[in-house]
Amino acid sequence: MADKADDIRQEIRKGRQDIADSRSAITEKLAILEDRVQETVDGVKHTFDLHYQVKQRPWLMFGGSLLVGYTLGRRGGVSSTTADTSSEPSSHPQPQQSIVSEVRTQVKDDLATIKGAAFGAVISTLWAMAKQVLLPPAPRNNPEQNPVPIPTSKTMEDARYRKEVGEISSFGKS
């Protein structure tokens, strides 16, 4: 009879050890999962944070703003070639005048492109400044200002652990 009691005690110890091992494995996996989720959230936040992107990739952002400015300038502008081909006499211009008009048209087109790029850069800068002014940074967790403790991943993990232990201990009691 004493052998049976010792065998049962041994099985109980082994069962408790298995439960403890399972708990630690689950805790490790939850911590890894929490880290991955946090990295993903940070990545998404950085993707849409204009201020961060400008700090990390200034030339790319500058080039992008130039491209946006150029595109907006081209959409809003009137083509100078259609304005120059208004009613002129059908006499053939002299070769020197046609070269001058071509250069003038090219300069107008280039100036329109530069104007559009500058407009885009100004709009991008104003947008970044407006975001910085209108969206203040999130308040920092200062214990003196916040007397109520904020739950952390560790306290949440402890609560889950207590809940699991309660479920495990009540599992065998039917």
Side-chain angles (χ1 to χ4, degrees):
M1 185 106 152
D3 290 337
K4 279 188 176 183
D6 288 339
D7 289 344
I8 291 174
R9 286 186 190 121
Q10 186 68 19
E11 285 185 38
I12 290 174
R13 282 189 206 117
K14 185 178 184 238
R16 286 183 180 168
Q17 184 63 39
D18 290 345
I19 290 172
D21 292 343
S22 297
R23 267 192 222 134
S24 64
I26 289 172
T27 303
E28 289 175 22
K29 290 176 183 175
L30 284 175
I32 291 170
L33 180 63
E34 185 177 345
D35 289 341
R36 287 183 183 169
V37 167
Q38 187 61 41
E39 288 173 6
T40 303
V41 167
D42 290 341
V44 169
K45 283 181 184 177
H46 285 313
T47 299
F48 294 107
D49 184 8
L50 186 63
H51 190 65
Y52 174 81
Q53 291 296 333
V54 169
K55 278 185 177 179
Q56 294 298 315
R57 301 168 184 87
W59 288 109
L60 182 64
M61 297 302 285
F62 178 72
S65 65
L66 287 177
L67 181 63
V68 168
Y70 174 76
T71 304
L72 290 175
R74 292 303 262 178
R75 289 183 86 201
V78 177
S79 175
S80 61
T81 57
T82 59
D84 288 343
T85 59
S86 59
S87 60
E88 288 187 14
S90 62
S91 65
H92 297 292
Q94 296 182 4
Q96 198 172 26
Q97 288 179 344
S98 76
I99 292 173
V100 169
S101 66
E102 286 179 25
V103 169
R104 183 179 297 153
T105 303
Q106 183 65 34
V107 168
K108 282 183 183 180
D109 287 345
D110 291 344
L111 285 176
T113 303
I114 292 170
K115 181 175 81 173
F119 179 74
V122 168
I123 293 297
S124 295
T125 303
L126 290 175
W127 178 252
M129 291 170 63
K131 273 183 64 176
Q132 191 174 14
V133 169
L134 296 176
L135 301 174
R140 296 181 186 258
N141 187 10
N142 188 351
E144 295 172 1
Q145 293 176 344
N146 297 332
V148 179
I150 297 174
T152 63
S153 62
K154 182 66 177 162
T155 58
M156 292 172 69
E157 183 179 306
D158 291 342
R160 276 189 240 121
Y161 173 76
R162 283 192 294 270
K163 183 178 176 185
E164 288 175 7
V165 169
E167 291 174 359
I168 291 172
S169 62
S170 66
F171 180 70
K173 301 176 187 175
S174 295

